[in-house]
Structure formats: structure tokens, C-alpha cells
Amino acid sequence: MNGNERSTPFTNRGVVLASDKKDKLTVCIDWIALTIMDYSLEDICKNLLKIPIHLMRDDEGAGIRGYRAFKKYDDIRVMEGGGKKTALHYHVLLSGQACRQFECWLEGRGETWFDFLNDAMKFAYNIPRIDLAIDDKVTYFQIEDIISMSEKEECISKLRVGTDYRKINLGDGKSAGRTMSFGSRESQLYIVFYEKNFERAEKLNLSKEEIEEMVAQPWNRYELRFRQEKAVATVKELLKHQDVAKVAFGTLKDTMRFAQKNLTDGTKSRWETYPFWDAFMADVESIRLVMEPKRKDYMQLFWWIKYFVAPSLKIMKEIDRLVGEDNLGKLIEGAKLNEKHFQMIEAYSQQYIEFQEKGSLPGWDFDEEKNDSENNVS
């Protein structure tokens, strides 16, 4: 075996035709935080976020890293900093969920993430964090195989430490998702590989059968989290190349590879790279940036009803027709709406009006053939 510990690589589920990979390997911007000095909330809303200030609401959430909760639109947050000894300043935070919501505004204005990043470089005193996420639905490897390789010294990386994390369903003892991280949470580059299908199933609070159906669909996510100087440098690279995939790929290629251990050669740089990693790297270089706008909370509700509730409603409607009753109508009429529901109606209506007035209304496409439930239910 030429000194190799084994002659075959770990399972590679990515051996498929190139055409089969279309839309199954994508990249997105999944987090960005900006520190803003010398600009007012009005400036930030009008010229950076470009969200009308009258749509912003009081943020009842918790503060982060010394910043106080202040204003928000959905999950798009503007927090306050400063006090008696320091000038008032702001922290704009777009988490993963907020990035998807913000893409509605970008799409409605006919802009891209690069337009926003260009504005961000003008406004930001600092960019403490930006995340790029690669979604792999091919998939090229199993997370548990990556963990096993790392334990056997087959992960050759500039990062010095890795962490293995596993969730277990206490009801049946089965795995509820594996995670492997590289680097420390406080380092300027932190990479996380995990099973996204398990995470999505957990968030949706599905039944056991629905969870099993969802996790059977392969979906890994690889997140690259850049902080401080590396975050600023990453934004500059994104603006330079206008290509998120190129920056993500370049970082991965420069940071790590998985190679088959050679017991007769202690120089890891000469170890042969596993074919699955070569295939993954080759395809990552050509993946596309996706924007998956999250259509307000109403649209999240729409897709959830469509895929998980509508069949039951249709059954009730058919039974009503057979027995000559209108129990479904009575059920709807008797439903009680709380403040959150009324805010959802108001916020969706206002966003609809804003885009309609600008003549750039995003298309709310309800055609089942053109939409994927995984992209619209969160």
C-alpha cells in the first residue's frame, strides 16, 4: 500500500454528473456586523440599509458585546453604544436570518450584496464580523468522516485546534446532527462544518416522521466566520473580485486540506490529497452566489402552511362539503389574533407598498414548480 494506512478514501457521495450538481452547491453571505461612528440613525436607515426609518420598531431583544438593543426591522438590528465617556455610536447586525430578510430589500431595489458592501465600507468604522456559508446538497463527504480524519491527523490545516460536537435525541438515542469546527471562536478565522438538514428539522419543530424525511435529504453547511482584520480584508476581497465563491474557495484552499496518511513519510505536505477533497475544491471554485429573500414573516407562514398544514385544511374542506357544514370557516373566523399577528400584517403591507411605489415589487411567486420548500421555510 506504499506506506498508506488504507488504500481507499472515506465514502464520497459526491461522485455524480456535473449536471446533477446544479443548484446543489451554493454560497451565501450569512452574517455581517458593522460598527458605525459619526452617522445618525436616520443616515443609517436612509443611506446604508435604505429601509425607511418609520418601519423600524423598538428592539426588545438583548444587547450584544456592550451594545444596547435599540431599533430593528424583523431581525435586522441597529444597536446603540456609547455612554458618559464615549460618543454615541451604532452597531448594525445582520444575522443569518436577517441576511435573508435584507435580501428582500436588495432585490426590491435591484441591488446586490456588493452594492451594500460598497456602502458599508463608506459608513463603517469597523467590520467586526462577516460569515460566508457554503451549502452542499450533493454531498461530497460525511461530517463524521471529517471528524475521523481529523482524529487521525489527516486534516492538514493552518488552524491549530478542532472541536467535535454531536447532538443526541434522548427519545431514541439517535444522532441529531454532527458538527466539526476548526480554530477557536475568538480567532479571526473560525470554520464550522455541520449537518444543516438536522438543524433545519429541529428549528421547524416537525413530527418524528417529518424529521426523518427531512434529514434523509443530504445537506451539509460549511461556514467561514471572519472577524476583525480578517473580516475587513474579506470585504475588500469581495469587492475586488465581485465573487463570493472565489473568496470562500480561496480561504478554504489556503487554510486546510484532507490527505491520506502515509506511515513512511512524516512530511504531511507530501501526503496525497483525498479525491473527495480535490473534487470538492474543484467544484467550489465555480459555485454561484445565491440570494434567497425571506418574504417577511407572512411569507414564512405561507410556506409553512402550504407544505405542512394545507393537506389537513383540504381534508377539512372536503369533509365540510360532504356533510354540508362549514367547520373550517368557523375555525378561521374564531381565531384570535395577538399583537404579533397584527404587526406581521402591518409590516408585510408596508413593505409591499414601499416596493410598489418604487415600481420594483419583488415577485411573490407561489408556483410550486418554481419554489423549493427548503429555501422558503425557516
Side-chain angles (χ1 to χ4, degrees):
M1 294 193 296
N2 298 322
N4 290 338
E5 192 173 40
R6 55 180 172 275
S7 59
T8 57
F10 283 83
T11 301
N12 176 12
R13 294 167 57 192
V15 183
V16 295
L17 296 174
S19 59
D20 294 332
K21 297 176 184 177
K22 184 180 180 182
D23 298 328
K24 290 188 176 182
L25 189 63
T26 56
V27 63
C28 66
I29 293 175
D30 202 52
W31 188 293
I32 186 165
L34 311 172
T35 301
I36 310 291
M37 307 282 286
D38 302 324
Y39 288 96
S40 67
L41 176 65
E42 289 77 10
D43 289 329
I44 292 170
C45 290
K46 181 179 180 180
N47 299 312
L48 175 61
L49 296 175
K50 301 177 185 176
I51 297 175
I53 194 169
H54 69 268
L55 295 183
M56 303 295 282
R57 298 288 181 264
D58 290 338
D59 187 348
E60 304 296 336
I64 296 176
R65 295 182 180 272
Y67 288 94
R68 303 178 294 273
F70 182 43
K71 296 292 182 180
K72 66 182 294 187
Y73 176 85
D74 273 0
D75 295 303
I76 301 167
R77 307 182 71 188
V78 180
M79 292 178 280
E80 276 188 330
K84 293 181 178 179
K85 297 184 179 180
T86 56
L88 179 67
H89 57 284
Y90 298 97
H91 187 73
V92 174
L93 175 61
L94 305 183
S95 63
Q97 187 90 328
C99 284
R100 306 289 75 79
Q101 294 162 352
F102 188 60
E103 285 173 348
C104 285
W105 293 94
L106 291 175
E107 183 186 56
R109 299 195 297 260
E111 294 184 350
T112 70
W113 273 109
F114 303 114
D115 295 310
F116 173 72
L117 293 178
N118 188 58
D119 290 337
M121 290 297 290
K122 299 173 184 176
F123 270 78
Y125 173 79
N126 187 29
I127 303 175
R129 177 175 169 182
I130 185 171
D131 293 2
L132 308 181
I134 299 169
D135 284 309
D136 171 14
K137 297 182 182 179
V138 173
T139 52
Y140 289 77
F141 48 83
Q142 304 279 354
I143 301 301
E144 73 176 280
D145 288 346
I146 291 297
I147 294 170
S148 180
M149 292 181 205
S150 300
E151 291 173 342
K152 297 183 181 192
E153 305 174 54
E154 294 184 322
C155 175
I156 302 172
S157 175
K158 291 182 177 180
L159 301 173
R160 299 179 60 185
V161 64
T163 304
D164 168 20
Y165 177 68
R166 180 183 180 188
K167 281 187 177 181
I168 299 175
N169 188 319
L170 297 180
D172 56 19
K174 294 182 179 179
S175 173
R178 299 295 296 270
T179 298
M180 181 69 193
S181 64
F182 304 88
S184 73
R185 289 183 177 274
E186 300 306 316
S187 62
Q188 292 198 15
L189 174 60
Y190 182 59
I191 300 175
V192 184
F193 290 5
Y194 65 96
E195 295 173 306
K196 182 70 174 179
N197 48 359
F198 281 95
E199 185 207 49
R200 181 59 62 89
E202 181 181 357
K203 284 185 176 180
L204 288 174
N205 194 27
L206 306 179
S207 67
K208 182 178 179 181
E209 292 75 18
E210 290 168 336
I211 289 175
E212 290 177 351
E213 181 179 353
M214 179 166 285
V215 300
Q217 303 300 316
W219 185 357
N220 287 344
R221 170 167 280 199
Y222 319 123
E223 294 182 358
L224 294 83
R225 303 175 184 175
F226 303 90
R227 290 184 172 84
Q228 302 305 334
E229 288 88 353
K230 277 192 179 293
V232 175
T234 297
V235 171
K236 290 179 179 179
E237 285 295 297
L238 289 170
L239 289 172
K240 175 183 176 181
H241 297 288
Q242 300 281 298
D243 189 336
V244 179
K246 184 180 182 70
V247 175
F249 164 80
T251 301
L252 275 177
K253 187 174 183 179
D254 183 61
T255 304
M256 65 170 60
R257 71 184 179 99
F258 290 87
Q260 190 169 354
K261 190 172 187 177
N262 190 323
L263 297 179
T264 64
D265 188 348
T267 304
K268 292 184 177 183
S269 62
R270 292 197 291 262
W271 290 3
E272 185 177 353
T273 303
Y274 273 115
F276 80 85
W277 190 253
D278 278 335
F280 175 58
M281 286 287 100
D283 287 342
V284 165
E285 190 171 20
S286 61
I287 63 179
R288 65 184 181 86
L289 171 69
V290 295
M291 288 178 56
E292 298 177 346
K294 186 177 179 342
R295 313 294 190 188
K296 296 296 301 150
D297 286 347
Y298 165 72
M299 296 310 295
Q300 177 185 7
L301 177 65
F302 175 89
W303 290 109
W304 181 76
I305 290 175
K306 177 176 180 178
Y307 287 97
F308 298 108
V309 179
S312 297
L313 297 179
K314 192 168 185 177
I315 291 172
M316 290 187 66
K317 183 178 180 180
E318 180 63 16
I319 293 175
D320 279 348
R321 185 186 67 81
L322 291 172
V323 301
E325 298 284 349
D326 187 22
N327 291 311
L328 178 57
K330 293 176 182 177
L331 194 66
I332 294 172
E333 288 300 319
K336 304 295 183 183
L337 300 182
N338 59 30
E339 183 63 25
K340 180 179 179 180
H341 298 138
F342 286 115
Q343 288 178 358
M344 183 188 302
I345 294 170
E346 179 188 10
Y348 177 79
S349 300
Q350 288 178 330
Q351 182 174 327
Y352 187 93
I353 292 169
E354 286 288 334
F355 286 141
Q356 191 176 48
E357 290 176 347
K358 295 177 181 178
S360 56
L361 184 67
W364 309 123
D365 192 349
F366 299 157
D367 186 345
E368 184 170 6
E369 294 182 357
K370 297 181 181 178
N371 291 282
D372 178 356
S373 63
E374 289 182 343
N375 292 339
N376 294 282
V377 181
S378 299

PDB file of all heavy atoms in Angstrom, residues 25-52:
ATOM      1  N   LEU A  25     -24.819  23.127  -4.897  1.00  0.00           N
ATOM      2  CA  LEU A  25     -23.639  23.661  -4.234  1.00  0.00           C
ATOM      3  C   LEU A  25     -23.667  25.162  -4.430  1.00  0.00           C
ATOM      4  O   LEU A  25     -23.443  25.664  -5.529  1.00  0.00           O
ATOM      5  CB  LEU A  25     -22.363  23.059  -4.834  1.00  0.00           C
ATOM      6  CG  LEU A  25     -21.051  23.359  -4.104  1.00  0.00           C
ATOM      7  CD1 LEU A  25     -21.066  22.771  -2.703  1.00  0.00           C
ATOM      8  CD2 LEU A  25     -19.869  22.814  -4.891  1.00  0.00           C
ATOM      9  N   THR A  26     -23.996  25.887  -3.368  1.00  0.00           N
ATOM     10  CA  THR A  26     -24.176  27.330  -3.457  1.00  0.00           C
ATOM     11  C   THR A  26     -23.471  28.017  -2.286  1.00  0.00           C
ATOM     12  O   THR A  26     -23.087  27.369  -1.314  1.00  0.00           O
ATOM     13  CB  THR A  26     -25.666  27.720  -3.435  1.00  0.00           C
ATOM     14  OG1 THR A  26     -26.279  27.191  -2.247  1.00  0.00           O
ATOM     15  CG2 THR A  26     -26.402  27.166  -4.651  1.00  0.00           C
ATOM     16  N   VAL A  27     -23.319  29.316  -2.393  1.00  0.00           N
ATOM     17  CA  VAL A  27     -22.678  30.084  -1.334  1.00  0.00           C
ATOM     18  C   VAL A  27     -23.500  31.337  -1.075  1.00  0.00           C
ATOM     19  O   VAL A  27     -24.135  31.881  -1.985  1.00  0.00           O
ATOM     20  CB  VAL A  27     -21.225  30.447  -1.716  1.00  0.00           C
ATOM     21  CG1 VAL A  27     -21.187  31.342  -2.943  1.00  0.00           C
ATOM     22  CG2 VAL A  27     -20.481  31.114  -0.562  1.00  0.00           C
ATOM     23  N   CYS A  28     -23.508  31.784   0.173  1.00  0.00           N
ATOM     24  CA  CYS A  28     -24.249  32.996   0.519  1.00  0.00           C
ATOM     25  C   CYS A  28     -23.504  33.767   1.602  1.00  0.00           C
ATOM     26  O   CYS A  28     -22.633  33.231   2.284  1.00  0.00           O
ATOM     27  CB  CYS A  28     -25.671  32.667   0.993  1.00  0.00           C
ATOM     28  SG  CYS A  28     -25.760  31.749   2.551  1.00  0.00           S
ATOM     29  N   ILE A  29     -23.832  35.047   1.719  1.00  0.00           N
ATOM     30  CA  ILE A  29     -23.371  35.851   2.853  1.00  0.00           C
ATOM     31  C   ILE A  29     -24.353  35.586   3.986  1.00  0.00           C
ATOM     32  O   ILE A  29     -25.554  35.756   3.818  1.00  0.00           O
ATOM     33  CB  ILE A  29     -23.313  37.335   2.477  1.00  0.00           C
ATOM     34  CG1 ILE A  29     -22.213  37.557   1.430  1.00  0.00           C
ATOM     35  CG2 ILE A  29     -23.070  38.211   3.713  1.00  0.00           C
ATOM     36  CD1 ILE A  29     -22.133  38.964   0.887  1.00  0.00           C
ATOM     37  N   ASP A  30     -23.838  35.158   5.135  1.00  0.00           N
ATOM     38  CA  ASP A  30     -24.735  34.656   6.169  1.00  0.00           C
ATOM     39  C   ASP A  30     -24.643  35.416   7.491  1.00  0.00           C
ATOM     40  O   ASP A  30     -25.297  35.044   8.456  1.00  0.00           O
ATOM     41  CB  ASP A  30     -24.448  33.168   6.412  1.00  0.00           C
ATOM     42  CG  ASP A  30     -25.619  32.449   7.045  1.00  0.00           C
ATOM     43  OD1 ASP A  30     -26.744  32.557   6.510  1.00  0.00           O
ATOM     44  OD2 ASP A  30     -25.420  31.781   8.090  1.00  0.00           O
ATOM     45  N   TRP A  31     -23.829  36.456   7.534  1.00  0.00           N
ATOM     46  CA  TRP A  31     -23.735  37.266   8.759  1.00  0.00           C
ATOM     47  C   TRP A  31     -22.854  38.461   8.442  1.00  0.00           C
ATOM     48  O   TRP A  31     -21.844  38.319   7.760  1.00  0.00           O
ATOM     49  CB  TRP A  31     -23.099  36.459   9.898  1.00  0.00           C
ATOM     50  CG  TRP A  31     -23.116  37.122  11.264  1.00  0.00           C
ATOM     51  CD1 TRP A  31     -22.435  38.235  11.643  1.00  0.00           C
ATOM     52  CD2 TRP A  31     -23.843  36.694  12.422  1.00  0.00           C
ATOM     53  NE1 TRP A  31     -22.679  38.533  12.962  1.00  0.00           N
ATOM     54  CE2 TRP A  31     -23.545  37.602  13.468  1.00  0.00           C
ATOM     55  CE3 TRP A  31     -24.702  35.630  12.689  1.00  0.00           C
ATOM     56  CZ2 TRP A  31     -24.074  37.463  14.741  1.00  0.00           C
ATOM     57  CZ3 TRP A  31     -25.232  35.501  13.966  1.00  0.00           C
ATOM     58  CH2 TRP A  31     -24.933  36.405  14.968  1.00  0.00           C
ATOM     59  N   ILE A  32     -23.232  39.621   8.909  1.00  0.00           N
ATOM     60  CA  ILE A  32     -22.333  40.769   8.816  1.00  0.00           C
ATOM     61  C   ILE A  32     -22.664  41.737   9.942  1.00  0.00           C
ATOM     62  O   ILE A  32     -23.832  41.964  10.258  1.00  0.00           O
ATOM     63  CB  ILE A  32     -22.406  41.469   7.442  1.00  0.00           C
ATOM     64  CG1 ILE A  32     -21.338  42.577   7.359  1.00  0.00           C
ATOM     65  CG2 ILE A  32     -23.792  42.007   7.143  1.00  0.00           C
ATOM     66  CD1 ILE A  32     -21.078  43.084   5.962  1.00  0.00           C
ATOM     67  N   ALA A  33     -21.616  42.257  10.565  1.00  0.00           N
ATOM     68  CA  ALA A  33     -21.768  43.236  11.644  1.00  0.00           C
ATOM     69  C   ALA A  33     -20.900  44.443  11.339  1.00  0.00           C
ATOM     70  O   ALA A  33     -19.753  44.299  10.900  1.00  0.00           O
ATOM     71  CB  ALA A  33     -21.366  42.612  12.983  1.00  0.00           C
ATOM     72  N   LEU A  34     -21.466  45.621  11.558  1.00  0.00           N
ATOM     73  CA  LEU A  34     -20.765  46.873  11.275  1.00  0.00           C
ATOM     74  C   LEU A  34     -20.796  47.777  12.496  1.00  0.00           C
ATOM     75  O   LEU A  34     -21.835  47.909  13.151  1.00  0.00           O
ATOM     76  CB  LEU A  34     -21.425  47.614  10.107  1.00  0.00           C
ATOM     77  CG  LEU A  34     -21.738  46.837   8.832  1.00  0.00           C
ATOM     78  CD1 LEU A  34     -22.557  47.705   7.894  1.00  0.00           C
ATOM     79  CD2 LEU A  34     -20.453  46.384   8.155  1.00  0.00           C
ATOM     80  N   THR A  35     -19.673  48.409  12.795  1.00  0.00           N
ATOM     81  CA  THR A  35     -19.637  49.455  13.817  1.00  0.00           C
ATOM     82  C   THR A  35     -19.672  50.800  13.095  1.00  0.00           C
ATOM     83  O   THR A  35     -18.831  51.066  12.230  1.00  0.00           O
ATOM     84  CB  THR A  35     -18.358  49.360  14.665  1.00  0.00           C
ATOM     85  OG1 THR A  35     -18.305  48.078  15.294  1.00  0.00           O
ATOM     86  CG2 THR A  35     -18.342  50.442  15.740  1.00  0.00           C
ATOM     87  N   ILE A  36     -20.658  51.631  13.441  1.00  0.00           N
ATOM     88  CA  ILE A  36     -20.881  52.905  12.745  1.00  0.00           C
ATOM     89  C   ILE A  36     -20.625  54.072  13.691  1.00  0.00           C
ATOM     90  O   ILE A  36     -21.234  54.155  14.760  1.00  0.00           O
ATOM     91  CB  ILE A  36     -22.331  53.012  12.211  1.00  0.00           C
ATOM     92  CG1 ILE A  36     -22.718  51.761  11.425  1.00  0.00           C
ATOM     93  CG2 ILE A  36     -22.498  54.280  11.395  1.00  0.00           C
ATOM     94  CD1 ILE A  36     -22.016  51.603  10.121  1.00  0.00           C
ATOM     95  N   MET A  37     -19.724  54.962  13.310  1.00  0.00           N
ATOM     96  CA  MET A  37     -19.432  56.171  14.074  1.00  0.00           C
ATOM     97  C   MET A  37     -19.793  57.393  13.225  1.00  0.00           C
ATOM     98  O   MET A  37     -19.753  57.349  11.997  1.00  0.00           O
ATOM     99  CB  MET A  37     -17.945  56.231  14.424  1.00  0.00           C
ATOM    100  CG  MET A  37     -17.400  54.992  15.106  1.00  0.00           C
ATOM    101  SD  MET A  37     -17.813  54.860  16.858  1.00  0.00           S
ATOM    102  CE  MET A  37     -16.717  56.081  17.555  1.00  0.00           C
ATOM    103  N   ASP A  38     -20.178  58.479  13.875  1.00  0.00           N
ATOM    104  CA  ASP A  38     -20.379  59.776  13.203  1.00  0.00           C
ATOM    105  C   ASP A  38     -21.542  59.806  12.217  1.00  0.00           C
ATOM    106  O   ASP A  38     -21.613  60.699  11.364  1.00  0.00           O
ATOM    107  CB  ASP A  38     -19.098  60.202  12.467  1.00  0.00           C
ATOM    108  CG  ASP A  38     -17.892  60.295  13.398  1.00  0.00           C
ATOM    109  OD1 ASP A  38     -18.086  60.715  14.556  1.00  0.00           O
ATOM    110  OD2 ASP A  38     -16.785  59.938  12.965  1.00  0.00           O
ATOM    111  N   TYR A  39     -22.431  58.848  12.320  1.00  0.00           N
ATOM    112  CA  TYR A  39     -23.641  58.865  11.493  1.00  0.00           C
ATOM    113  C   TYR A  39     -24.852  58.660  12.396  1.00  0.00           C
ATOM    114  O   TYR A  39     -24.796  57.925  13.383  1.00  0.00           O
ATOM    115  CB  TYR A  39     -23.616  57.756  10.431  1.00  0.00           C
ATOM    116  CG  TYR A  39     -22.635  57.998   9.316  1.00  0.00           C
ATOM    117  CD1 TYR A  39     -21.355  57.427   9.364  1.00  0.00           C
ATOM    118  CD2 TYR A  39     -22.968  58.778   8.213  1.00  0.00           C
ATOM    119  CE1 TYR A  39     -20.437  57.631   8.339  1.00  0.00           C
ATOM    120  CE2 TYR A  39     -22.050  58.993   7.182  1.00  0.00           C
ATOM    121  CZ  TYR A  39     -20.793  58.415   7.256  1.00  0.00           C
ATOM    122  OH  TYR A  39     -19.898  58.630   6.246  1.00  0.00           O
ATOM    123  N   SER A  40     -25.949  59.320  12.047  1.00  0.00           N
ATOM    124  CA  SER A  40     -27.174  59.193  12.834  1.00  0.00           C
ATOM    125  C   SER A  40     -27.965  57.963  12.404  1.00  0.00           C
ATOM    126  O   SER A  40     -27.693  57.359  11.359  1.00  0.00           O
ATOM    127  CB  SER A  40     -28.042  60.442  12.655  1.00  0.00           C
ATOM    128  OG  SER A  40     -28.525  60.509  11.314  1.00  0.00           O
ATOM    129  N   LEU A  41     -28.967  57.616  13.214  1.00  0.00           N
ATOM    130  CA  LEU A  41     -29.856  56.516  12.852  1.00  0.00           C
ATOM    131  C   LEU A  41     -30.538  56.810  11.524  1.00  0.00           C
ATOM    132  O   LEU A  41     -30.705  55.928  10.682  1.00  0.00           O
ATOM    133  CB  LEU A  41     -30.907  56.299  13.949  1.00  0.00           C
ATOM    134  CG  LEU A  41     -31.973  55.235  13.638  1.00  0.00           C
ATOM    135  CD1 LEU A  41     -31.347  53.848  13.535  1.00  0.00           C
ATOM    136  CD2 LEU A  41     -33.076  55.250  14.700  1.00  0.00           C
ATOM    137  N   GLU A  42     -30.914  58.075  11.317  1.00  0.00           N
ATOM    138  CA  GLU A  42     -31.565  58.475  10.067  1.00  0.00           C
ATOM    139  C   GLU A  42     -30.645  58.217   8.874  1.00  0.00           C
ATOM    140  O   GLU A  42     -31.079  57.722   7.838  1.00  0.00           O
ATOM    141  CB  GLU A  42     -31.966  59.947  10.120  1.00  0.00           C
ATOM    142  CG  GLU A  42     -33.118  60.263  11.059  1.00  0.00           C
ATOM    143  CD  GLU A  42     -32.714  60.282  12.536  1.00  0.00           C
ATOM    144  OE1 GLU A  42     -31.483  60.238  12.833  1.00  0.00           O
ATOM    145  OE2 GLU A  42     -33.616  60.330  13.378  1.00  0.00           O
ATOM    146  N   ASP A  43     -29.352  58.562   9.034  1.00  0.00           N
ATOM    147  CA  ASP A  43     -28.383  58.320   7.958  1.00  0.00           C
ATOM    148  C   ASP A  43     -28.259  56.829   7.649  1.00  0.00           C
ATOM    149  O   ASP A  43     -28.214  56.413   6.489  1.00  0.00           O
ATOM    150  CB  ASP A  43     -27.001  58.860   8.353  1.00  0.00           C
ATOM    151  CG  ASP A  43     -26.942  60.374   8.358  1.00  0.00           C
ATOM    152  OD1 ASP A  43     -27.675  60.983   7.555  1.00  0.00           O
ATOM    153  OD2 ASP A  43     -26.172  60.926   9.156  1.00  0.00           O
ATOM    154  N   ILE A  44     -28.177  56.040   8.718  1.00  0.00           N
ATOM    155  CA  ILE A  44     -28.008  54.594   8.561  1.00  0.00           C
ATOM    156  C   ILE A  44     -29.198  53.989   7.829  1.00  0.00           C
ATOM    157  O   ILE A  44     -29.038  53.183   6.900  1.00  0.00           O
ATOM    158  CB  ILE A  44     -27.815  53.930   9.937  1.00  0.00           C
ATOM    159  CG1 ILE A  44     -26.479  54.360  10.543  1.00  0.00           C
ATOM    160  CG2 ILE A  44     -27.882  52.400   9.818  1.00  0.00           C
ATOM    161  CD1 ILE A  44     -26.297  53.966  11.988  1.00  0.00           C
ATOM    162  N   CYS A  45     -30.403  54.383   8.241  1.00  0.00           N
ATOM    163  CA  CYS A  45     -31.614  53.833   7.624  1.00  0.00           C
ATOM    164  C   CYS A  45     -31.757  54.294   6.175  1.00  0.00           C
ATOM    165  O   CYS A  45     -32.076  53.494   5.288  1.00  0.00           O
ATOM    166  CB  CYS A  45     -32.849  54.227   8.429  1.00  0.00           C
ATOM    167  SG  CYS A  45     -32.960  53.427  10.034  1.00  0.00           S
ATOM    168  N   LYS A  46     -31.501  55.569   5.933  1.00  0.00           N
ATOM    169  CA  LYS A  46     -31.746  56.132   4.603  1.00  0.00           C
ATOM    170  C   LYS A  46     -30.674  55.767   3.590  1.00  0.00           C
ATOM    171  O   LYS A  46     -30.988  55.424   2.434  1.00  0.00           O
ATOM    172  CB  LYS A  46     -31.846  57.662   4.706  1.00  0.00           C
ATOM    173  CG  LYS A  46     -32.134  58.339   3.372  1.00  0.00           C
ATOM    174  CD  LYS A  46     -32.258  59.857   3.542  1.00  0.00           C
ATOM    175  CE  LYS A  46     -32.542  60.535   2.197  1.00  0.00           C
ATOM    176  NZ  LYS A  46     -32.662  62.000   2.343  1.00  0.00           N
ATOM    177  N   ASN A  47     -29.396  55.803   3.997  1.00  0.00           N
ATOM    178  CA  ASN A  47     -28.316  55.698   3.023  1.00  0.00           C
ATOM    179  C   ASN A  47     -27.492  54.417   3.092  1.00  0.00           C
ATOM    180  O   ASN A  47     -26.715  54.130   2.178  1.00  0.00           O
ATOM    181  CB  ASN A  47     -27.377  56.895   3.164  1.00  0.00           C
ATOM    182  CG  ASN A  47     -28.095  58.209   2.907  1.00  0.00           C
ATOM    183  OD1 ASN A  47     -28.817  58.347   1.924  1.00  0.00           O
ATOM    184  ND2 ASN A  47     -27.923  59.159   3.820  1.00  0.00           N
ATOM    185  N   LEU A  48     -27.647  53.636   4.174  1.00  0.00           N
ATOM    186  CA  LEU A  48     -26.918  52.374   4.271  1.00  0.00           C
ATOM    187  C   LEU A  48     -27.880  51.191   4.116  1.00  0.00           C
ATOM    188  O   LEU A  48     -27.824  50.457   3.134  1.00  0.00           O
ATOM    189  CB  LEU A  48     -26.174  52.273   5.606  1.00  0.00           C
ATOM    190  CG  LEU A  48     -25.471  50.936   5.859  1.00  0.00           C
ATOM    191  CD1 LEU A  48     -24.408  50.670   4.788  1.00  0.00           C
ATOM    192  CD2 LEU A  48     -24.858  50.891   7.255  1.00  0.00           C
ATOM    193  N   LEU A  49     -28.785  51.031   5.076  1.00  0.00           N
ATOM    194  CA  LEU A  49     -29.765  49.950   4.976  1.00  0.00           C
ATOM    195  C   LEU A  49     -30.811  50.251   3.904  1.00  0.00           C
ATOM    196  O   LEU A  49     -31.358  49.342   3.280  1.00  0.00           O
ATOM    197  CB  LEU A  49     -30.459  49.739   6.324  1.00  0.00           C
ATOM    198  CG  LEU A  49     -29.565  49.268   7.477  1.00  0.00           C
ATOM    199  CD1 LEU A  49     -30.365  49.223   8.777  1.00  0.00           C
ATOM    200  CD2 LEU A  49     -28.956  47.908   7.176  1.00  0.00           C
ATOM    201  N   LYS A  50     -31.094  51.564   3.735  1.00  0.00           N
ATOM    202  CA  LYS A  50     -32.116  52.009   2.786  1.00  0.00           C
ATOM    203  C   LYS A  50     -33.482  51.390   3.101  1.00  0.00           C
ATOM    204  O   LYS A  50     -34.231  51.002   2.212  1.00  0.00           O
ATOM    205  CB  LYS A  50     -31.682  51.717   1.347  1.00  0.00           C
ATOM    206  CG  LYS A  50     -30.365  52.402   0.989  1.00  0.00           C
ATOM    207  CD  LYS A  50     -29.886  52.070  -0.409  1.00  0.00           C
ATOM    208  CE  LYS A  50     -28.509  52.686  -0.654  1.00  0.00           C
ATOM    209  NZ  LYS A  50     -27.951  52.318  -1.981  1.00  0.00           N
ATOM    210  N   ILE A  51     -33.745  51.321   4.395  1.00  0.00           N
ATOM    211  CA  ILE A  51     -35.049  50.902   4.914  1.00  0.00           C
ATOM    212  C   ILE A  51     -35.677  52.128   5.561  1.00  0.00           C
ATOM    213  O   ILE A  51     -35.066  52.726   6.452  1.00  0.00           O
ATOM    214  CB  ILE A  51     -34.913  49.769   5.946  1.00  0.00           C
ATOM    215  CG1 ILE A  51     -34.317  48.513   5.292  1.00  0.00           C
ATOM    216  CG2 ILE A  51     -36.254  49.438   6.585  1.00  0.00           C
ATOM    217  CD1 ILE A  51     -34.048  47.381   6.273  1.00  0.00           C
ATOM    218  N   PRO A  52     -36.857  52.548   5.155  1.00  0.00           N
ATOM    219  CA  PRO A  52     -37.477  53.744   5.739  1.00  0.00           C
ATOM    220  C   PRO A  52     -37.509  53.680   7.257  1.00  0.00           C
ATOM    221  O   PRO A  52     -37.897  52.646   7.836  1.00  0.00           O
ATOM    222  CB  PRO A  52     -38.889  53.728   5.149  1.00  0.00           C
ATOM    223  CG  PRO A  52     -38.735  53.009   3.847  1.00  0.00           C
ATOM    224  CD  PRO A  52     -37.707  51.944   4.106  1.00  0.00           C
TER     225      PRO A  52
END
